[in-house]
Amino acid sequence: MILRMLAFFLSVGLAAQDYGYRQYSTAAGLPDARVERVVTDSLGYLYARTPLGWVRFDGLQFSDVDLPPAYVRDDVWLSEGEMDHIRQRYLRDTPYADTEILDLTDDVHGYRWLATSDRGLLRQLPSSFVTYSVGGGVSTITQQDGTLYIGTEGRGLYRMVDGSPQPAGQGAELEGLRITSLVADTSFLYVGTAGRGVYALGRDTLFQVRQRDGLPSNWVRKLLLNHSGLTVLTIAGDLAYVTVGDTTTQVSLDALGTKDLPSIVDMVSDSSHRLIIQLADGERQVESRTIGTLVSGLPAVRQMSLRRGTQLWYTTDDRGIFYTDLGAKPFRYARIDDRLLAGAEQYSAVLAREEQREVWVGTDQGVSRLYLDQNGQPLYARQYGAAEGFPVRGDGPTVIFADDRGGVWFATESGLVRLTNDEDNYRTPPVTSLEAVTLFYDTIAPNRVTFRARENHLGFRFRAVDLTHPEKIRYRYRLSPLEPEWSPATTETSVRYAGLPGGRYTFTASASTDGGNTWGRPASYRFTIEVPLLLQPWLLITGVALISVLLTGAFYGYNRRMLRRQAVVRSDWEKQNQLLKLEQQARQLQMNPHFIFNALNGIRGLVDRREARDQLSRFATLMRGILHNSRQERITLAEEIATLENYLRMEQFCHPHPFTYSIDIPGSVNSEEVSLPPMLVQPFAENAILHGFSGLDRPAELHIAFELVGRRCRISIRDNGVGRAIAGQRQADRQPGHQSVAVGVTQERISAMGGSMTIQDGEPHGTVVTLEIPVSYEW
């Protein structure tokens, strides 16, 4: 209790600041709006107890837990009187003024959390706005030479000096004025007033332009600067142009006043100082004029603002917010969805910043910040009201102004209001914790730091908690010394490493919430993977030394022998080259020795049977066909199929594993009339039988299909064998022996004749080989 009360009284000094609150109730995932206890831990997690049990909050979602960690549990509560005192102090003038507080705590960033009886959790936030009092309402704002000037409702002109508004001090003539508009150039600050015309303030001069000097009226609605000088719009809706010299002023009326047209209610200028004027009569269509564009056909406009020269935004008294593209012919007006504006009923000021993808709108609920897409269309809005510290009075701010530093200011009935930057509320980045370490996808004890050589598939799950900016959390990680550089910033909270070699490692992860400028305290995990015996340093050194000695001795003896036999070898080279050429030619006529051996071995067991004679006859036919076809450049499709069928039947007889096969031939064309290169399919069929069907635990099937497409033949060889991966592994495990090159040679033949070949895994088993080769028709 003493510690809780000490924390409370130490925090009382913050009460002088304006605070807002964010509510987390059932809509945010809290299981019950009745919160009885609230505590936090050192990692930043928040724990709340409701009638439905304890939950943990990480800034994004609530999750059920049995109990909070033991080191944050606290069974001592504040008294009802203390809670009522806190409610009166911290919830006064907020939507939660009548809410009953049951408990409170501060998170690791110093923000206070309140547990309420019916509103869920309330998080106290510093205000996003600072209000400067000028003794009344502010009507207009502008900037000149880095100084902000403030026009008031009946208290004259102010300027910001060292962060506080002070009277401008240009003399008694400006005291007590109701200022309606302010604009400035490099020479003068122009002040529009209600009833006193226009003042031009120079460094050492003060001019007044009134109705007797040529103005249509002393009651000024708005001032704008153009190429030639100052444009003045009166409350009666008349336009005048004022040129201020060193000692004289000139006033001219706009020709629009000589036409029988409605009065003007507002005007803006684009980057070229062209005027865009809004008429009071919304039904009358008016053509474009040289001074700019006369916009008509709109609801009663209250204020306008121009973005990127052509996108016009404007507020109306009670019909919402509209925007249009002045470059379109004709204009089309789009209305902002009311759901983006939090139920506002009155709309006042609008600021569409030139190159920014955002628009500020004043309403009777405060201000709204509309975010735009790249085409200038509204995406979503953020609302600022009393809960965020914005003074909500009347219909909303009368003017929204952006200074040359990007700051946004609001003229309100309560005074001058400034929007604070997000960086003003930024706290230290969150602490990262290591949630789990996995070995081959199984979670292990966090104190295990040594692994065997084969235990080299490790994963890490890490997490940081920031209850204030959970959506801004980004992580980086590295595994030293394998990764000397940090990973790019990411939202991923886990990483896995497979096949780590032996050695000592340190995994580190940290988090940031400001785009990677600063990173919080990291989480680290040091571990060791044992080095295999064969890779131990001493064994490697011994082995390298021994191999070096053996190689040196072998090289010395080999060099001696080579010197003695050099003369003999030189004479034998030509003979060996000739022999190699003859062997190469003979090898081209050989069949696979395994096939011939298996065939003859199988036939030998049936010498005295009729089946032996049949098999010998088939074998002779097959050999005769192969030898005949190998000497031909092209054979008919019928001959290729006949030879292939004899071969497959012999393989059925010889192969120890039974299999079935089928051959599909095109029925639309006579196979005797189609010719193609010989012996293209047999190597792939042999490959499927020897490697695909070896060790197969299901009935083996081989399917060969010929399809004619124009002057090309597509051949598909499909088996349901073990597949390429297993067959390749088995081939690698066998003792070195015969290495078939038939598939490679066949692929080179197909490529040379302008065909193509693809090999891919079958579904669900086996391999599919697809050949596409050119053919010719004999007709």
Side-chain angles (χ1 to χ4, degrees):
M1 171 67 78
I2 295 176
L3 293 177
R4 294 289 296 276
M5 290 299 296
L6 179 61
F8 166 72
F9 286 115
L10 287 177
S11 64
V12 167
L14 298 176
Q17 303 180 30
D18 290 328
Y19 280 87
Y21 292 86
R22 180 175 296 174
Q23 182 181 9
Y24 296 87
S25 189
T26 53
L30 191 68
D32 196 298
R34 298 166 294 175
V35 180
E36 302 165 348
R37 295 286 288 114
V38 57
V39 292
T40 60
D41 63 15
S42 59
L43 296 178
Y45 287 104
L46 185 85
Y47 299 85
R49 187 177 72 185
T50 72
L52 300 178
W54 283 95
V55 291
R56 187 180 76 174
F57 186 53
D58 60 4
L60 293 174
Q61 61 183 0
F62 291 90
S63 56
D64 295 335
V65 293
D66 294 332
L67 287 172
Y71 57 86
V72 300
R73 294 185 60 190
D74 183 2
D75 295 330
V76 179
W77 293 9
L78 297 178
S79 67
E80 293 184 5
E82 293 164 343
M83 288 298 180
D84 184 65
H85 178 70
I86 293 172
R87 179 177 60 80
Q88 292 295 328
R89 174 177 289 273
Y90 292 108
L91 297 182
R92 186 178 65 251
D93 298 329
T94 73
Y96 313 104
D98 297 328
T99 300
E100 181 183 7
I101 300 176
L102 300 181
D103 194 20
L104 84 166
T105 190
D106 291 344
D107 60 24
V108 295
H109 285 163
Y111 293 121
R112 179 165 291 111
W113 290 76
L114 307 177
T116 71
S117 61
D118 60 350
R119 295 288 192 106
L121 290 169
L122 299 180
R123 179 165 68 103
Q124 191 180 64
L125 295 174
S127 172
S128 298
F129 299 89
V130 177
T131 301
Y132 302 91
S133 175
V134 292
V138 173
S139 56
T140 183
I141 316 164
T142 195
Q143 188 175 22
Q144 183 187 46
D145 297 333
T147 300
L148 197 72
Y149 288 89
I150 307 142
T152 67
E153 293 280 356
R155 298 184 66 86
L157 183 67
Y158 280 72
R159 65 177 179 174
M160 292 294 292
V161 179
D162 296 330
S164 64
Q166 302 291 335
Q170 273 84 9
E173 290 188 64
L174 297 179
E175 294 180 1
L177 288 180
R178 180 185 174 190
I179 298 175
T180 58
S181 183
L182 291 172
V183 293
D185 57 19
T186 56
S187 301
F188 293 98
L189 173 68
Y190 299 100
V191 182
T193 69
R196 301 284 294 274
V198 178
Y199 287 90
L201 280 69
R203 294 182 180 274
D204 301 314
T205 58
L206 176 63
F207 294 100
Q208 183 180 13
V209 183
R210 293 169 290 181
Q211 189 170 3
R212 68 184 182 184
D213 300 315
L215 281 184
S217 170
N218 286 331
W219 296 79
V220 177
R221 180 192 297 270
K222 192 169 186 177
L223 302 177
L224 283 179
L225 290 172
N226 54 32
H227 289 300
S228 58
L230 183 69
T231 302
V232 180
L233 173 63
T234 68
I235 292 179
D238 298 315
L239 277 181
Y241 302 100
V242 178
T243 303
V244 179
D246 293 335
T247 59
T248 62
T249 59
Q250 294 181 354
V251 180
S252 61
L253 299 180
D254 187 85
L256 188 63
T258 63
K259 299 182 179 180
D260 185 19
L261 295 178
S263 61
I264 301 171
V265 294
D266 196 12
M267 61 181 180
V268 296
S269 64
D270 61 13
S271 57
S272 300
H273 296 284
R274 293 176 301 181
L275 289 179
I276 299 170
I277 302 170
Q278 167 62 32
L279 300 180
D281 184 359
E283 300 300 325
R284 187 169 227 163
Q285 300 296 325
V286 182
E287 299 296 330
S288 297
R289 302 172 66 249
T290 56
I291 63 169
T293 303
L294 299 176
V295 181
S296 60
L298 307 180
V301 171
R302 187 163 186 177
Q303 196 174 114
M304 298 190 299
S305 183
L306 197 62
R307 177 178 175 268
R308 292 189 174 180
T310 62
Q311 191 181 50
L312 181 68
W313 290 77
Y314 52 94
T315 59
T316 64
D317 286 335
D318 55 4
R319 293 186 57 186
I321 304 169
F322 293 78
Y323 66 99
T324 185
D325 185 0
L326 298 179
K329 303 295 182 183
F331 300 145
R332 295 183 179 178
Y333 309 110
R335 184 174 184 270
I336 302 301
D337 192 335
D338 290 338
R339 291 175 295 182
L340 290 177
L341 304 174
E345 296 181 357
Q346 298 292 328
Y347 308 91
S348 55
V350 61
L351 172 65
R353 306 175 71 176
E354 183 68 20
E355 295 299 329
Q356 299 280 342
R357 283 165 52 179
E358 65 179 24
V359 175
W360 287 90
V361 179
T363 71
D364 56 349
Q365 301 296 319
V367 289
S368 296
R369 189 179 195 175
L370 291 174
Y371 293 89
L372 312 179
D373 63 15
Q374 60 184 1
N375 298 318
Q377 304 298 313
L379 286 175
Y380 61 95
R382 183 176 178 184
Q383 310 297 328
Y384 301 91
E388 288 75 28
F390 188 87
V392 179
R393 292 181 62 185
D395 294 340
T398 55
V399 172
I400 306 176
F401 176 76
D403 61 29
D404 54 11
R405 296 184 179 181
V408 181
W409 301 77
F410 305 88
T412 72
E413 295 183 16
S414 300
L416 183 66
V417 179
R418 178 176 66 90
L419 173 71
T420 61
N421 295 325
D422 293 339
E423 290 77 7
D424 295 343
N425 296 329
Y426 182 74
R427 302 297 180 95
T428 57
V431 177
T432 303
S433 62
L434 194 64
E435 290 190 330
V437 179
T438 60
L439 174 63
F440 292 108
Y441 304 98
D442 294 328
T443 303
I444 62 174
N447 57 354
R448 181 178 177 183
V449 295
T450 303
F451 303 91
R452 294 191 295 271
R454 290 181 294 179
E455 296 176 333
N456 58 356
H457 193 124
L458 296 176
F460 305 93
R461 292 202 305 270
F462 43 88
R463 190 67 182 273
V465 180
D466 191 317
L467 301 178
T468 306
H469 303 290
E471 74 287 350
K472 294 184 179 181
I473 296 180
R474 296 295 182 271
Y475 300 92
R476 65 176 183 176
Y477 56 83
R478 66 180 176 186
L479 183 64
S480 302
L482 190 65
E483 297 173 334
E485 301 294 333
W486 289 99
S487 69
T490 177
T491 57
E492 297 295 328
T493 59
S494 65
V495 62
R496 192 173 301 280
Y497 298 91
L500 291 174
R504 295 181 178 179
Y505 298 93
T506 300
F507 176 79
T508 309
S510 60
S512 173
T513 52
D514 66 348
N517 295 320
T518 56
W519 296 87
R521 192 177 69 197
S524 298
Y525 177 74
R526 294 179 175 85
F527 63 97
T528 301
I529 298 178
E530 297 176 351
V531 179
L533 179 62
L534 294 178
L535 297 180
Q536 292 288 347
W538 66 268
L539 185 60
L540 289 176
I541 295 174
T542 303
V544 169
L546 181 60
I547 292 174
S548 299
V549 171
L550 293 176
L551 289 177
T552 302
F555 177 77
Y556 179 76
Y558 176 76
N559 189 49
R560 295 279 309 260
R561 289 194 301 272
M562 290 298 295
L563 291 175
R564 291 195 300 266
R565 299 173 59 182
Q566 186 175 10
V568 178
V569 171
R570 186 180 295 110
S571 63
D572 291 340
W573 278 351
E574 294 182 359
K575 296 180 181 180
Q576 291 179 2
N577 287 336
Q578 183 65 24
L579 179 61
L580 287 174
K581 292 180 180 179
L582 295 175
E583 289 179 351
Q584 184 177 4
Q585 294 175 0
R587 190 178 294 111
Q588 293 175 352
L589 300 177
Q590 291 180 358
M591 289 188 61
N592 191 326
H594 293 291
F595 171 70
I596 297 175
F597 176 82
N598 291 338
L600 294 178
N601 197 35
I603 295 172
R604 185 178 60 185
L606 303 172
V607 168
D608 296 329
R609 296 166 55 185
R610 179 175 180 179
E611 184 179 358
R613 293 193 298 274
D614 294 339
Q615 296 296 344
L616 284 172
S617 176
R618 182 175 296 109
F619 183 75
T621 301
L622 175 61
M623 293 299 295
R624 183 167 55 254
I626 291 175
L627 293 175
H628 173 267
N629 293 345
S630 65
R631 290 172 172 81
Q632 307 298 319
E633 290 185 0
R634 303 184 77 82
I635 62 174
T636 65
L637 178 59
E639 291 175 330
E640 176 71 9
I641 293 174
T643 303
L644 183 61
E645 188 162 12
N646 282 331
Y647 167 75
L648 292 174
R649 294 182 65 182
M650 286 302 301
E651 282 286 12
Q652 282 183 322
F653 169 70
C654 301
H655 201 269
H657 303 287
F659 70 90
T660 60
Y661 72 91
S662 64
I663 301 177
D664 293 345
I665 61 176
S668 59
V669 179
N670 189 348
S671 58
E672 293 288 346
E673 298 176 346
V674 181
S675 64
L676 70 168
M679 300 296 291
L680 292 177
V681 182
Q682 184 270 337
F684 300 98
E686 180 183 12
N687 231 28
I689 295 169
L690 292 181
H691 304 298
F693 296 159
S694 177
L696 193 65
D697 57 355
R698 55 181 175 273
E701 298 176 357
L702 178 65
H703 179 71
I704 301 174
F706 294 80
E707 180 183 1
L708 293 173
V709 182
R711 291 190 173 273
R712 300 183 76 84
C713 181
R714 185 180 294 115
I715 307 171
S716 172
I717 303 102
R718 182 188 300 270
D719 66 75
N720 67 337
V722 297
R724 292 184 296 168
I726 297 178
Q729 183 62 42
R730 291 176 177 174
Q731 185 73 11
D733 295 341
R734 296 195 182 104
Q735 293 295 329
H738 170 71
Q739 299 294 328
S740 174
V741 296
V743 173
V745 172
T746 303
Q747 185 175 6
E748 293 179 2
R749 289 179 61 199
I750 293 173
S751 179
M753 67 179 67
S756 63
M757 179 185 80
T758 60
I759 303 177
Q760 57 187 5
D761 295 331
E763 293 292 341
H765 309 290
T767 305
V768 178
V769 180
T770 303
L771 312 177
E772 188 169 332
I773 58 175
V775 297
S776 57
Y777 294 89
E778 306 296 334
W779 56 41

